[in-house]
Amino acid sequence: MDLIRIIFAVILPPLGVFLQVGLGKHFWLNILLTLLGYIPGIVHAVWIIARTPEHA
């Protein structure tokens, strides 16, 4: 499932973060980073997906 989230994170970073952690502070931070620059949004999304355990 992480591979699908990482693919979503590259295409649309906030979606990958949302699938991992839901509507939390990381989601809103990722939207801000994506608006400021696409690459920072991708880096943050992949970092959150790799770092955070799967939401149960």
Side-chain angles (χ1 to χ4, degrees), residues 14-35:
L15 180 59
V17 174
F18 173 76
L19 292 174
Q20 183 71 23
V21 296
L23 285 174
K25 63 181 177 181
H26 293 293
F27 173 76
W28 296 109
L29 176 61
N30 190 267
I31 286 181
L32 178 66
L33 288 170
T34 302
L35 289 174

Side-chain angles (χ1 to χ4, degrees), residues 31-49:
I31 286 181
L32 178 66
L33 288 170
T34 302
L35 289 174
L36 292 174
Y38 190 67
I39 300 299
I42 292 174
V43 170
H44 178 255
V46 171
W47 181 70
I48 290 296
I49 292 167

